[in-house]
Amino acid sequence: PVYGRKCYEYFHGLSEVCSWCKNQEVFAGKTVAREWYSFRTDKTYDVLDTPIFNVDGMISKLTIFHDITDRKRAEKALRESEKQLRHLSSELLSAQEMERRRISRELHDELGQALAGLKLQVGYLRRPSGQNAELQEEFEETMCSLDRTIESLRRISRDLSPYVIEYFGLSDALQRLFSDFT
């Protein structure tokens, strides 16, 4: 007792034993380490309660408080900073994905249409068979080259922003990727 009052009355203004109290363990001979936040001082402490055996055989309690408020605040600030970093990283990934979709659309829509139009124009130049075999062979090679270019454009556009992920999810997209690879 402190000045005839129990510790929970004197230190905390409570009428009952504190819920965090470890006195029974300490007075049973055990050393107890814990963390404690004081609303009164707005500080956090590492607390070490250890029994002391008096010369008369009675047990007293020695309590050592170590102020760890700055460390706890730094840990909290670090957690908040990590949370903010995760959020910013997520935002960056979203922005990158949106840019990939935009580039993919532009490639597909604008360049794809231009190549399709070019293929139609080249198709008009086709000569009836039997006329200038060399020119006919060059024409067929040009058409094949245009087809390969259009297919490459589609592949690049698809790889930039796979519509399968957007519409069907990652699992289906991976299955299609494995299927395409094999």
Side-chain angles (χ1 to χ4, degrees):
V2 181
Y3 299 113
R5 294 166 57 196
K6 300 287 185 181
C7 62
Y8 53 84
E9 295 171 333
Y10 181 80
F11 289 112
H12 307 293
L14 298 174
S15 59
E16 297 178 351
V17 175
C18 304
S19 61
W20 63 86
C21 184
K22 302 293 182 188
N23 282 348
Q24 284 186 325
E25 294 175 41
V26 175
F27 290 122
K30 202 173 174 185
T31 296
V32 177
R34 60 190 168 92
E35 195 173 282
W36 176 65
Y37 174 76
S38 169
F39 289 101
R40 185 177 291 166
T41 63
D42 190 32
K43 293 188 177 212
T44 304
Y45 301 92
D46 263 339
V47 180
L48 181 71
D49 291 326
T50 190
I52 296 177
F53 297 92
N54 301 328
V55 291
D56 63 359
M58 297 290 292
I59 298 177
S60 294
K61 177 177 88 167
L62 171 67
T63 302
I64 301 171
F65 290 83
H66 179 243
D67 184 352
I68 59 169
T69 305
D70 291 339
R71 185 184 87 204
K72 296 304 270 184
R73 287 180 181 151
E75 288 172 357
K76 182 180 179 184
L78 180 60
R79 282 191 303 276
E80 288 297 318
S81 176
E82 288 171 345
K83 182 180 174 183
Q84 186 178 19
L85 184 58
R86 281 190 300 274
H87 174 72
L88 290 173
S89 178
S90 173
E91 291 290 319
L92 177 62
L93 289 173
S94 293
Q96 286 175 333
E97 185 57 33
M98 286 174 51
E99 184 64 9
R100 280 190 198 102
R101 278 191 223 134
R102 185 190 65 75
I103 291 170
S104 174
R105 270 193 315 273
E106 285 183 18
L107 280 173
H108 182 268
D109 294 349
E110 292 182 26
L111 194 53
Q113 285 179 3
L115 285 170
L118 183 60
K119 185 176 175 182
L120 286 173
Q121 286 177 338
V122 170
Y124 290 131
L125 300 176
R126 179 176 276 173
R127 303 273 184 232
S129 60
Q131 292 184 352
N132 196 343
E134 198 174 291
L135 187 59
Q136 189 64 30
E137 188 177 317
E138 186 67 32
F139 171 80
E140 293 302 327
E141 284 180 26
T142 302
M143 291 299 278
C144 286
S145 178
L146 273 170
D147 285 340
R148 284 192 304 271
T149 303
I150 290 170
E151 187 51 42
S152 291
L153 175 66
R154 285 181 182 153
R155 181 186 47 77
I156 291 168
S157 178
R158 194 175 46 241
D159 289 350
L160 270 173
S161 180
Y163 70 91
V164 177
I165 291 176
E166 195 170 330
Y167 295 109
F168 300 109
L170 183 61
S171 178
D172 287 342
L174 288 174
Q175 287 176 353
R176 285 194 179 195
L177 180 64
F178 292 142
S179 174
D180 289 349
F181 182 74
T182 56

